[in-house]
DNA sequence: TAGTGGTCTAGACCACCCC
DNA sequence: GGGTGGTCTAGACCACTAA
């Protein structure tokens, strides 16, 4: 295996019906590079739970042997997974499945920063947790049918004793069966950590739309502010593996002692 | 040069006083990898204007020869520069210095998107352009002394005929000497394109802080809205090479038919 | 056809971590 | 000492672009 011409377009598994190897008349669909195929295979293992959040995945050499490719190819696949925050490399130790139970990951999805001092987790006050049928707009964003069961959560978050965020969340009822106010209240740590550990759903990406609005009566009362105080309104959809939407979150942020921080590159 | 042990910690230029090569007792400062040094050298050439925005930089092989390293090392350096949007690779053609004169780059720093339809550039209405002395807060953010000369620009941007953004900008007076209302008005294309082509300052990164506020009288008049309408208030500091701040921009965004879009990864 | 970036390999050595 | 990821090299071939 050392002096043969490399890369006869070997498919590392028997997954796809391989065809058209070295021929020059490859037409449109364009084959994906080996390392992309490896990346897809590793992602599938992550998704299937073969390696759990926080655990170490096999070493590069081991994966190279398993897939019958060079270490360099595995490396490039893992590089991309690390760039997408699906895994985390630790020199000298190994490569680990990313998890929401970590300092670093705490503020990955919450961009609201205190004007002064360092970011720190808030204190949750749950207002309501219930099962309901998904309204049309929620169903559309979560890729469900209108009327499908969803879990609804409403909470207020306090920072330094100041109520700052009021948010409503909708989660698919099937995947989050058994999520109750008690479970939420007794759980210490980030909510996405709970979802990951207890419900096997890991959020890996989100999109957010932000507007400015005026506080309505109910929200003003919860945040202990005057009606018509300007607030940031965020609508966030979070996705798990396979770009599947699994959470809709609508938040109102009080920006008197906080601001939404963003880096533009 | 083929069978010698590689990497005797050769410095590609005579820049730093090389020391401590293979010895095992390297103490704290930790040497940067070769490709990082190459990256720094390429960045310096970009900054000095050796290759201008839009131009092609030398090929990987050529740079490898120039720096006396392998093509793979140059490649890794350029990979990072491409990830930071300093250069753009085009397969089969070459690697090009990134520029703000491009479709792709138009909306890199403006995250305000129309609720319906595709993003498109707005129409500028310049309200005021003048030289002034930097107030303390502006000076601090631009890394100037209080009272240093700055260019002040105020404009309204219209989308589909609707005034949507009112923003104020401050630029260092020295770097932007000769920037007048006429120059701004006659220039077609993105403002950062003008700054890049006419003033040799390329914005490569920015940070943004966003809050919700109520429209004051003056802004309400400019945007043709009621006083106290909620608006997004953005404070953006843009940086050029070497993390040097070169623009402060304070904008108010009307979010009735637009929203601020963000991707969380 | 020649030149560019993109992929893949194989092997060496380094830096870091833990036993 | 032995394992992990990180760097660096050298050389082959592929895919795309332009003359």
């Amino acid at each position: 295996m050392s002096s043969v011409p490399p890369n006869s377009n070997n498919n590392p598994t028997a997954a796809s019906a391989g065809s058209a190897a070295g021929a020059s008349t490859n037409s449109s669909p364009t084959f994906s590079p080996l390392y992309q195929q490896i990346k897809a295979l590793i992602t599938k293992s992550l998704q299937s739970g073969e390696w759990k959040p926080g655990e170490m995945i096999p070493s590069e050499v081991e994966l190279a042997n398993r897939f019958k490719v060079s270490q360099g190819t595995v490396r490039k696949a893992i590089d991309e997974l690390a760039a997408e925050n699906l895994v985390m490399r630790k020199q000298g130790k190994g490569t680990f499945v990313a998890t929401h139970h970590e300092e670093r990951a705490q503020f990955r999805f919450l961009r609201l920063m205190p004007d002064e001092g360092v970011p720190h987790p808030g204190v949750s006050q749950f207002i309501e947790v219930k099962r309901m049928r998904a309204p049309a707009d929620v169903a559309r964003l979560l890729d469900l049918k209108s009327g499908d069961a969803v879990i609804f959560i409403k909470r207020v978050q306090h920072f330094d004793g100041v109520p700052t965020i009021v948010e409503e969340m909708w989660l698919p009822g099937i995947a989050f069966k058994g999520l109750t106010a008690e479970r939420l209240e007794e759980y210490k740590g980030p909510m996405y950590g709970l979802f990951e550990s207890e419900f096997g759903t890991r959020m890996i990406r989100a999109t957010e739309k932000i507007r400015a609005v005026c506080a309505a009566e109910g929200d003003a009362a919860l945040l202990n502010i005057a009606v018509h105080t300007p607030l940031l309104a965020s609508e966030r959809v979070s996705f798990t593996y396979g770009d599947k939407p699994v959470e809709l979150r609508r938040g109102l942020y009080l920006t008197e002692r906080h601001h939404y921080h963003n880096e533009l590159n």
mmCIF file with all atom_site columns, all heavy atoms in Angstrom, chain C residues 4-12:
data_model
loop_
_atom_site.group_PDB
_atom_site.id
_atom_site.type_symbol
_atom_site.label_atom_id
_atom_site.label_alt_id
_atom_site.label_comp_id
_atom_site.label_asym_id
_atom_site.label_entity_id
_atom_site.label_seq_id
_atom_site.pdbx_PDB_ins_code
_atom_site.Cartn_x
_atom_site.Cartn_y
_atom_site.Cartn_z
_atom_site.occupancy
_atom_site.B_iso_or_equiv
_atom_site.pdbx_formal_charge
_atom_site.auth_seq_id
_atom_site.auth_comp_id
_atom_site.auth_asym_id
_atom_site.auth_atom_id
_atom_site.pdbx_PDB_model_num
ATOM 1   P P     . DT C 1 4  ? 1.466   30.172 -11.113 1.00 0.00 ? 4  DT C P     1
ATOM 2   O OP1   . DT C 1 4  ? 1.956   31.529 -10.793 1.00 0.00 ? 4  DT C OP1   1
ATOM 3   O OP2   . DT C 1 4  ? 2.296   28.970 -10.837 1.00 0.00 ? 4  DT C OP2   1
ATOM 4   O "O5'" . DT C 1 4  ? 0.080   29.961 -10.361 1.00 0.00 ? 4  DT C "O5'" 1
ATOM 5   C "C5'" . DT C 1 4  ? -0.971  30.926 -10.479 1.00 0.00 ? 4  DT C "C5'" 1
ATOM 6   C "C4'" . DT C 1 4  ? -2.233  30.305 -9.941  1.00 0.00 ? 4  DT C "C4'" 1
ATOM 7   O "O4'" . DT C 1 4  ? -2.539  29.155 -10.765 1.00 0.00 ? 4  DT C "O4'" 1
ATOM 8   C "C3'" . DT C 1 4  ? -2.081  29.717 -8.549  1.00 0.00 ? 4  DT C "C3'" 1
ATOM 9   O "O3'" . DT C 1 4  ? -2.440  30.653 -7.573  1.00 0.00 ? 4  DT C "O3'" 1
ATOM 10  C "C2'" . DT C 1 4  ? -3.063  28.557 -8.538  1.00 0.00 ? 4  DT C "C2'" 1
ATOM 11  C "C1'" . DT C 1 4  ? -3.327  28.270 -10.002 1.00 0.00 ? 4  DT C "C1'" 1
ATOM 12  N N1    . DT C 1 4  ? -2.976  26.879 -10.386 1.00 0.00 ? 4  DT C N1    1
ATOM 13  C C2    . DT C 1 4  ? -3.992  25.965 -10.457 1.00 0.00 ? 4  DT C C2    1
ATOM 14  O O2    . DT C 1 4  ? -5.148  26.234 -10.204 1.00 0.00 ? 4  DT C O2    1
ATOM 15  N N3    . DT C 1 4  ? -3.602  24.698 -10.828 1.00 0.00 ? 4  DT C N3    1
ATOM 16  C C4    . DT C 1 4  ? -2.319  24.279 -11.124 1.00 0.00 ? 4  DT C C4    1
ATOM 17  O O4    . DT C 1 4  ? -2.091  23.113 -11.445 1.00 0.00 ? 4  DT C O4    1
ATOM 18  C C5    . DT C 1 4  ? -1.310  25.289 -11.016 1.00 0.00 ? 4  DT C C5    1
ATOM 19  C C7    . DT C 1 4  ? 0.121   24.917 -11.310 1.00 0.00 ? 4  DT C C7    1
ATOM 20  C C6    . DT C 1 4  ? -1.680  26.531 -10.664 1.00 0.00 ? 4  DT C C6    1
ATOM 21  P P     . DG C 1 5  ? -2.138  30.235 -6.034  1.00 0.00 ? 5  DG C P     1
ATOM 22  O OP1   . DG C 1 5  ? -2.191  31.468 -5.230  1.00 0.00 ? 5  DG C OP1   1
ATOM 23  O OP2   . DG C 1 5  ? -0.923  29.389 -6.022  1.00 0.00 ? 5  DG C OP2   1
ATOM 24  O "O5'" . DG C 1 5  ? -3.380  29.317 -5.679  1.00 0.00 ? 5  DG C "O5'" 1
ATOM 25  C "C5'" . DG C 1 5  ? -4.660  29.907 -5.514  1.00 0.00 ? 5  DG C "C5'" 1
ATOM 26  C "C4'" . DG C 1 5  ? -5.729  28.826 -5.519  1.00 0.00 ? 5  DG C "C4'" 1
ATOM 27  O "O4'" . DG C 1 5  ? -5.351  27.803 -6.463  1.00 0.00 ? 5  DG C "O4'" 1
ATOM 28  C "C3'" . DG C 1 5  ? -5.923  28.102 -4.188  1.00 0.00 ? 5  DG C "C3'" 1
ATOM 29  O "O3'" . DG C 1 5  ? -7.297  27.781 -4.052  1.00 0.00 ? 5  DG C "O3'" 1
ATOM 30  C "C2'" . DG C 1 5  ? -5.082  26.857 -4.370  1.00 0.00 ? 5  DG C "C2'" 1
ATOM 31  C "C1'" . DG C 1 5  ? -5.367  26.545 -5.839  1.00 0.00 ? 5  DG C "C1'" 1
ATOM 32  N N9    . DG C 1 5  ? -4.372  25.689 -6.461  1.00 0.00 ? 5  DG C N9    1
ATOM 33  C C8    . DG C 1 5  ? -3.046  25.963 -6.652  1.00 0.00 ? 5  DG C C8    1
ATOM 34  N N7    . DG C 1 5  ? -2.404  24.994 -7.249  1.00 0.00 ? 5  DG C N7    1
ATOM 35  C C5    . DG C 1 5  ? -3.372  24.021 -7.445  1.00 0.00 ? 5  DG C C5    1
ATOM 36  C C6    . DG C 1 5  ? -3.271  22.744 -8.046  1.00 0.00 ? 5  DG C C6    1
ATOM 37  O O6    . DG C 1 5  ? -2.277  22.213 -8.539  1.00 0.00 ? 5  DG C O6    1
ATOM 38  N N1    . DG C 1 5  ? -4.496  22.076 -8.043  1.00 0.00 ? 5  DG C N1    1
ATOM 39  C C2    . DG C 1 5  ? -5.666  22.580 -7.526  1.00 0.00 ? 5  DG C C2    1
ATOM 40  N N2    . DG C 1 5  ? -6.746  21.792 -7.604  1.00 0.00 ? 5  DG C N2    1
ATOM 41  N N3    . DG C 1 5  ? -5.769  23.771 -6.979  1.00 0.00 ? 5  DG C N3    1
ATOM 42  C C4    . DG C 1 5  ? -4.588  24.438 -6.967  1.00 0.00 ? 5  DG C C4    1
ATOM 43  P P     . DG C 1 6  ? -7.821  26.932 -2.799  1.00 0.00 ? 6  DG C P     1
ATOM 44  O OP1   . DG C 1 6  ? -9.199  27.319 -2.486  1.00 0.00 ? 6  DG C OP1   1
ATOM 45  O OP2   . DG C 1 6  ? -6.760  27.004 -1.783  1.00 0.00 ? 6  DG C OP2   1
ATOM 46  O "O5'" . DG C 1 6  ? -7.853  25.441 -3.374  1.00 0.00 ? 6  DG C "O5'" 1
ATOM 47  C "C5'" . DG C 1 6  ? -9.047  24.960 -3.995  1.00 0.00 ? 6  DG C "C5'" 1
ATOM 48  C "C4'" . DG C 1 6  ? -9.123  23.452 -3.860  1.00 0.00 ? 6  DG C "C4'" 1
ATOM 49  O "O4'" . DG C 1 6  ? -8.013  22.857 -4.558  1.00 0.00 ? 6  DG C "O4'" 1
ATOM 50  C "C3'" . DG C 1 6  ? -9.039  22.947 -2.420  1.00 0.00 ? 6  DG C "C3'" 1
ATOM 51  O "O3'" . DG C 1 6  ? -10.012 21.915 -2.238  1.00 0.00 ? 6  DG C "O3'" 1
ATOM 52  C "C2'" . DG C 1 6  ? -7.613  22.428 -2.306  1.00 0.00 ? 6  DG C "C2'" 1
ATOM 53  C "C1'" . DG C 1 6  ? -7.368  21.922 -3.728  1.00 0.00 ? 6  DG C "C1'" 1
ATOM 54  N N9    . DG C 1 6  ? -5.959  21.884 -4.101  1.00 0.00 ? 6  DG C N9    1
ATOM 55  C C8    . DG C 1 6  ? -5.035  22.889 -3.953  1.00 0.00 ? 6  DG C C8    1
ATOM 56  N N7    . DG C 1 6  ? -3.840  22.562 -4.374  1.00 0.00 ? 6  DG C N7    1
ATOM 57  C C5    . DG C 1 6  ? -3.983  21.250 -4.821  1.00 0.00 ? 6  DG C C5    1
ATOM 58  C C6    . DG C 1 6  ? -3.032  20.366 -5.386  1.00 0.00 ? 6  DG C C6    1
ATOM 59  O O6    . DG C 1 6  ? -1.834  20.576 -5.604  1.00 0.00 ? 6  DG C O6    1
ATOM 60  N N1    . DG C 1 6  ? -3.604  19.140 -5.710  1.00 0.00 ? 6  DG C N1    1
ATOM 61  C C2    . DG C 1 6  ? -4.912  18.808 -5.508  1.00 0.00 ? 6  DG C C2    1
ATOM 62  N N2    . DG C 1 6  ? -5.276  17.582 -5.877  1.00 0.00 ? 6  DG C N2    1
ATOM 63  N N3    . DG C 1 6  ? -5.816  19.630 -4.981  1.00 0.00 ? 6  DG C N3    1
ATOM 64  C C4    . DG C 1 6  ? -5.283  20.831 -4.662  1.00 0.00 ? 6  DG C C4    1
ATOM 65  P P     . DT C 1 7  ? -10.071 21.113 -0.872  1.00 0.00 ? 7  DT C P     1
ATOM 66  O OP1   . DT C 1 7  ? -11.477 20.739 -0.680  1.00 0.00 ? 7  DT C OP1   1
ATOM 67  O OP2   . DT C 1 7  ? -9.304  21.815 0.166   1.00 0.00 ? 7  DT C OP2   1
ATOM 68  O "O5'" . DT C 1 7  ? -9.274  19.781 -1.251  1.00 0.00 ? 7  DT C "O5'" 1
ATOM 69  C "C5'" . DT C 1 7  ? -9.828  18.916 -2.243  1.00 0.00 ? 7  DT C "C5'" 1
ATOM 70  C "C4'" . DT C 1 7  ? -8.958  17.696 -2.390  1.00 0.00 ? 7  DT C "C4'" 1
ATOM 71  O "O4'" . DT C 1 7  ? -7.613  18.085 -2.737  1.00 0.00 ? 7  DT C "O4'" 1
ATOM 72  C "C3'" . DT C 1 7  ? -8.837  16.822 -1.127  1.00 0.00 ? 7  DT C "C3'" 1
ATOM 73  O "O3'" . DT C 1 7  ? -9.255  15.530 -1.498  1.00 0.00 ? 7  DT C "O3'" 1
ATOM 74  C "C2'" . DT C 1 7  ? -7.350  16.898 -0.768  1.00 0.00 ? 7  DT C "C2'" 1
ATOM 75  C "C1'" . DT C 1 7  ? -6.727  17.185 -2.120  1.00 0.00 ? 7  DT C "C1'" 1
ATOM 76  N N1    . DT C 1 7  ? -5.392  17.843 -2.134  1.00 0.00 ? 7  DT C N1    1
ATOM 77  C C2    . DT C 1 7  ? -4.335  17.185 -2.708  1.00 0.00 ? 7  DT C C2    1
ATOM 78  O O2    . DT C 1 7  ? -4.426  16.085 -3.196  1.00 0.00 ? 7  DT C O2    1
ATOM 79  N N3    . DT C 1 7  ? -3.150  17.884 -2.691  1.00 0.00 ? 7  DT C N3    1
ATOM 80  C C4    . DT C 1 7  ? -2.933  19.140 -2.171  1.00 0.00 ? 7  DT C C4    1
ATOM 81  O O4    . DT C 1 7  ? -1.826  19.666 -2.207  1.00 0.00 ? 7  DT C O4    1
ATOM 82  C C5    . DT C 1 7  ? -4.086  19.774 -1.576  1.00 0.00 ? 7  DT C C5    1
ATOM 83  C C7    . DT C 1 7  ? -3.961  21.137 -0.980  1.00 0.00 ? 7  DT C C7    1
ATOM 84  C C6    . DT C 1 7  ? -5.253  19.100 -1.583  1.00 0.00 ? 7  DT C C6    1
ATOM 85  P P     . DC C 1 8  ? -9.524  14.456 -0.352  1.00 0.00 ? 8  DC C P     1
ATOM 86  O OP1   . DC C 1 8  ? -10.468 13.485 -0.901  1.00 0.00 ? 8  DC C OP1   1
ATOM 87  O OP2   . DC C 1 8  ? -9.823  15.166 0.916   1.00 0.00 ? 8  DC C OP2   1
ATOM 88  O "O5'" . DC C 1 8  ? -8.115  13.738 -0.183  1.00 0.00 ? 8  DC C "O5'" 1
ATOM 89  C "C5'" . DC C 1 8  ? -7.626  12.906 -1.234  1.00 0.00 ? 8  DC C "C5'" 1
ATOM 90  C "C4'" . DC C 1 8  ? -6.214  12.480 -0.914  1.00 0.00 ? 8  DC C "C4'" 1
ATOM 91  O "O4'" . DC C 1 8  ? -5.334  13.602 -1.069  1.00 0.00 ? 8  DC C "O4'" 1
ATOM 92  C "C3'" . DC C 1 8  ? -5.985  12.014 0.530   1.00 0.00 ? 8  DC C "C3'" 1
ATOM 93  O "O3'" . DC C 1 8  ? -5.996  10.585 0.531   1.00 0.00 ? 8  DC C "O3'" 1
ATOM 94  C "C2'" . DC C 1 8  ? -4.624  12.615 0.908   1.00 0.00 ? 8  DC C "C2'" 1
ATOM 95  C "C1'" . DC C 1 8  ? -4.154  13.278 -0.388  1.00 0.00 ? 8  DC C "C1'" 1
ATOM 96  N N1    . DC C 1 8  ? -3.370  14.534 -0.206  1.00 0.00 ? 8  DC C N1    1
ATOM 97  C C2    . DC C 1 8  ? -2.042  14.565 -0.628  1.00 0.00 ? 8  DC C C2    1
ATOM 98  O O2    . DC C 1 8  ? -1.558  13.558 -1.139  1.00 0.00 ? 8  DC C O2    1
ATOM 99  N N3    . DC C 1 8  ? -1.328  15.699 -0.458  1.00 0.00 ? 8  DC C N3    1
ATOM 100 C C4    . DC C 1 8  ? -1.894  16.775 0.104   1.00 0.00 ? 8  DC C C4    1
ATOM 101 N N4    . DC C 1 8  ? -1.144  17.875 0.236   1.00 0.00 ? 8  DC C N4    1
ATOM 102 C C5    . DC C 1 8  ? -3.246  16.764 0.532   1.00 0.00 ? 8  DC C C5    1
ATOM 103 C C6    . DC C 1 8  ? -3.948  15.634 0.370   1.00 0.00 ? 8  DC C C6    1
ATOM 104 P P     . DT C 1 9  ? -5.613  9.766  1.829   1.00 0.00 ? 9  DT C P     1
ATOM 105 O OP1   . DT C 1 9  ? -6.160  8.414  1.664   1.00 0.00 ? 9  DT C OP1   1
ATOM 106 O OP2   . DT C 1 9  ? -5.924  10.560 3.033   1.00 0.00 ? 9  DT C OP2   1
ATOM 107 O "O5'" . DT C 1 9  ? -4.041  9.668  1.686   1.00 0.00 ? 9  DT C "O5'" 1
ATOM 108 C "C5'" . DT C 1 9  ? -3.480  9.246  0.442   1.00 0.00 ? 9  DT C "C5'" 1
ATOM 109 C "C4'" . DT C 1 9  ? -1.975  9.314  0.517   1.00 0.00 ? 9  DT C "C4'" 1
ATOM 110 O "O4'" . DT C 1 9  ? -1.555  10.699 0.487   1.00 0.00 ? 9  DT C "O4'" 1
ATOM 111 C "C3'" . DT C 1 9  ? -1.387  8.714  1.801   1.00 0.00 ? 9  DT C "C3'" 1
ATOM 112 O "O3'" . DT C 1 9  ? -0.595  7.597  1.457   1.00 0.00 ? 9  DT C "O3'" 1
ATOM 113 C "C2'" . DT C 1 9  ? -0.549  9.832  2.408   1.00 0.00 ? 9  DT C "C2'" 1
ATOM 114 C "C1'" . DT C 1 9  ? -0.398  10.829 1.271   1.00 0.00 ? 9  DT C "C1'" 1
ATOM 115 N N1    . DT C 1 9  ? -0.316  12.243 1.703   1.00 0.00 ? 9  DT C N1    1
ATOM 116 C C2    . DT C 1 9  ? 0.827   12.955 1.454   1.00 0.00 ? 9  DT C C2    1
ATOM 117 O O2    . DT C 1 9  ? 1.791   12.485 0.890   1.00 0.00 ? 9  DT C O2    1
ATOM 118 N N3    . DT C 1 9  ? 0.804   14.255 1.886   1.00 0.00 ? 9  DT C N3    1
ATOM 119 C C4    . DT C 1 9  ? -0.243  14.889 2.546   1.00 0.00 ? 9  DT C C4    1
ATOM 120 O O4    . DT C 1 9  ? -0.146  16.060 2.892   1.00 0.00 ? 9  DT C O4    1
ATOM 121 C C5    . DT C 1 9  ? -1.407  14.082 2.778   1.00 0.00 ? 9  DT C C5    1
ATOM 122 C C7    . DT C 1 9  ? -2.597  14.666 3.476   1.00 0.00 ? 9  DT C C7    1
ATOM 123 C C6    . DT C 1 9  ? -1.404  12.804 2.350   1.00 0.00 ? 9  DT C C6    1
ATOM 124 P P     . DA C 1 10 ? -0.309  6.484  2.577   1.00 0.00 ? 10 DA C P     1
ATOM 125 O OP1   . DA C 1 10 ? -0.247  5.187  1.870   1.00 0.00 ? 10 DA C OP1   1
ATOM 126 O OP2   . DA C 1 10 ? -1.166  6.675  3.754   1.00 0.00 ? 10 DA C OP2   1
ATOM 127 O "O5'" . DA C 1 10 ? 1.176   6.882  3.000   1.00 0.00 ? 10 DA C "O5'" 1
ATOM 128 C "C5'" . DA C 1 10 ? 2.168   7.115  2.000   1.00 0.00 ? 10 DA C "C5'" 1
ATOM 129 C "C4'" . DA C 1 10 ? 3.413   7.629  2.682   1.00 0.00 ? 10 DA C "C4'" 1
ATOM 130 O "O4'" . DA C 1 10 ? 3.297   9.063  2.849   1.00 0.00 ? 10 DA C "O4'" 1
ATOM 131 C "C3'" . DA C 1 10 ? 3.619   7.037  4.080   1.00 0.00 ? 10 DA C "C3'" 1
ATOM 132 O "O3'" . DA C 1 10 ? 4.938   6.514  4.158   1.00 0.00 ? 10 DA C "O3'" 1
ATOM 133 C "C2'" . DA C 1 10 ? 3.375   8.205  5.021   1.00 0.00 ? 10 DA C "C2'" 1
ATOM 134 C "C1'" . DA C 1 10 ? 3.703   9.423  4.150   1.00 0.00 ? 10 DA C "C1'" 1
ATOM 135 N N9    . DA C 1 10 ? 2.985   10.635 4.530   1.00 0.00 ? 10 DA C N9    1
ATOM 136 C C8    . DA C 1 10 ? 1.706   10.747 5.011   1.00 0.00 ? 10 DA C C8    1
ATOM 137 N N7    . DA C 1 10 ? 1.330   11.985 5.277   1.00 0.00 ? 10 DA C N7    1
ATOM 138 C C5    . DA C 1 10 ? 2.446   12.743 4.944   1.00 0.00 ? 10 DA C C5    1
ATOM 139 C C6    . DA C 1 10 ? 2.700   14.125 4.994   1.00 0.00 ? 10 DA C C6    1
ATOM 140 N N6    . DA C 1 10 ? 1.811   15.020 5.424   1.00 0.00 ? 10 DA C N6    1
ATOM 141 N N1    . DA C 1 10 ? 3.920   14.541 4.588   1.00 0.00 ? 10 DA C N1    1
ATOM 142 C C2    . DA C 1 10 ? 4.807   13.646 4.167   1.00 0.00 ? 10 DA C C2    1
ATOM 143 N N3    . DA C 1 10 ? 4.683   12.307 4.076   1.00 0.00 ? 10 DA C N3    1
ATOM 144 C C4    . DA C 1 10 ? 3.468   11.926 4.484   1.00 0.00 ? 10 DA C C4    1
ATOM 145 P P     . DG C 1 11 ? 5.423   5.711  5.466   1.00 0.00 ? 11 DG C P     1
ATOM 146 O OP1   . DG C 1 11 ? 6.223   4.567  4.995   1.00 0.00 ? 11 DG C OP1   1
ATOM 147 O OP2   . DG C 1 11 ? 4.285   5.528  6.393   1.00 0.00 ? 11 DG C OP2   1
ATOM 148 O "O5'" . DG C 1 11 ? 6.418   6.770  6.111   1.00 0.00 ? 11 DG C "O5'" 1
ATOM 149 C "C5'" . DG C 1 11 ? 7.284   7.522  5.261   1.00 0.00 ? 11 DG C "C5'" 1
ATOM 150 C "C4'" . DG C 1 11 ? 7.829   8.687  6.037   1.00 0.00 ? 11 DG C "C4'" 1
ATOM 151 O "O4'" . DG C 1 11 ? 6.888   9.780  6.049   1.00 0.00 ? 11 DG C "O4'" 1
ATOM 152 C "C3'" . DG C 1 11 ? 8.116   8.359  7.513   1.00 0.00 ? 11 DG C "C3'" 1
ATOM 153 O "O3'" . DG C 1 11 ? 9.383   8.861  7.853   1.00 0.00 ? 11 DG C "O3'" 1
ATOM 154 C "C2'" . DG C 1 11 ? 6.999   9.105  8.241   1.00 0.00 ? 11 DG C "C2'" 1
ATOM 155 C "C1'" . DG C 1 11 ? 6.874   10.320 7.347   1.00 0.00 ? 11 DG C "C1'" 1
ATOM 156 N N9    . DG C 1 11 ? 5.677   11.120 7.584   1.00 0.00 ? 11 DG C N9    1
ATOM 157 C C8    . DG C 1 11 ? 4.397   10.678 7.823   1.00 0.00 ? 11 DG C C8    1
ATOM 158 N N7    . DG C 1 11 ? 3.550   11.649 8.029   1.00 0.00 ? 11 DG C N7    1
ATOM 159 C C5    . DG C 1 11 ? 4.315   12.808 7.916   1.00 0.00 ? 11 DG C C5    1
ATOM 160 C C6    . DG C 1 11 ? 3.958   14.175 8.043   1.00 0.00 ? 11 DG C C6    1
ATOM 161 O O6    . DG C 1 11 ? 2.845   14.643 8.287   1.00 0.00 ? 11 DG C O6    1
ATOM 162 N N1    . DG C 1 11 ? 5.042   15.014 7.849   1.00 0.00 ? 11 DG C N1    1
ATOM 163 C C2    . DG C 1 11 ? 6.311   14.589 7.570   1.00 0.00 ? 11 DG C C2    1
ATOM 164 N N2    . DG C 1 11 ? 7.235   15.546 7.420   1.00 0.00 ? 11 DG C N2    1
ATOM 165 N N3    . DG C 1 11 ? 6.670   13.323 7.451   1.00 0.00 ? 11 DG C N3    1
ATOM 166 C C4    . DG C 1 11 ? 5.629   12.486 7.636   1.00 0.00 ? 11 DG C C4    1
ATOM 167 P P     . DA C 1 12 ? 10.161  8.264  9.131   1.00 0.00 ? 12 DA C P     1
ATOM 168 O OP1   . DA C 1 12 ? 11.341  7.546  8.631   1.00 0.00 ? 12 DA C OP1   1
ATOM 169 O OP2   . DA C 1 12 ? 9.192   7.594  10.027  1.00 0.00 ? 12 DA C OP2   1
ATOM 170 O "O5'" . DA C 1 12 ? 10.664  9.583  9.854   1.00 0.00 ? 12 DA C "O5'" 1
ATOM 171 C "C5'" . DA C 1 12 ? 11.428  10.538 9.117   1.00 0.00 ? 12 DA C "C5'" 1
ATOM 172 C "C4'" . DA C 1 12 ? 11.223  11.904 9.740   1.00 0.00 ? 12 DA C "C4'" 1
ATOM 173 O "O4'" . DA C 1 12 ? 9.850   12.282 9.559   1.00 0.00 ? 12 DA C "O4'" 1
ATOM 174 C "C3'" . DA C 1 12 ? 11.463  11.911 11.250  1.00 0.00 ? 12 DA C "C3'" 1
ATOM 175 O "O3'" . DA C 1 12 ? 12.721  12.524 11.512  1.00 0.00 ? 12 DA C "O3'" 1
ATOM 176 C "C2'" . DA C 1 12 ? 10.315  12.748 11.811  1.00 0.00 ? 12 DA C "C2'" 1
ATOM 177 C "C1'" . DA C 1 12 ? 9.514   13.168 10.591  1.00 0.00 ? 12 DA C "C1'" 1
ATOM 178 N N9    . DA C 1 12 ? 8.062   13.097 10.805  1.00 0.00 ? 12 DA C N9    1
ATOM 179 C C8    . DA C 1 12 ? 7.286   11.975 10.917  1.00 0.00 ? 12 DA C C8    1
ATOM 180 N N7    . DA C 1 12 ? 6.013   12.227 11.107  1.00 0.00 ? 12 DA C N7    1
ATOM 181 C C5    . DA C 1 12 ? 5.948   13.613 11.120  1.00 0.00 ? 12 DA C C5    1
ATOM 182 C C6    . DA C 1 12 ? 4.881   14.512 11.277  1.00 0.00 ? 12 DA C C6    1
ATOM 183 N N6    . DA C 1 12 ? 3.620   14.125 11.466  1.00 0.00 ? 12 DA C N6    1
ATOM 184 N N1    . DA C 1 12 ? 5.167   15.838 11.246  1.00 0.00 ? 12 DA C N1    1
ATOM 185 C C2    . DA C 1 12 ? 6.439   16.217 11.062  1.00 0.00 ? 12 DA C C2    1
ATOM 186 N N3    . DA C 1 12 ? 7.518   15.469 10.894  1.00 0.00 ? 12 DA C N3    1
ATOM 187 C C4    . DA C 1 12 ? 7.204   14.165 10.936  1.00 0.00 ? 12 DA C C4    1
#
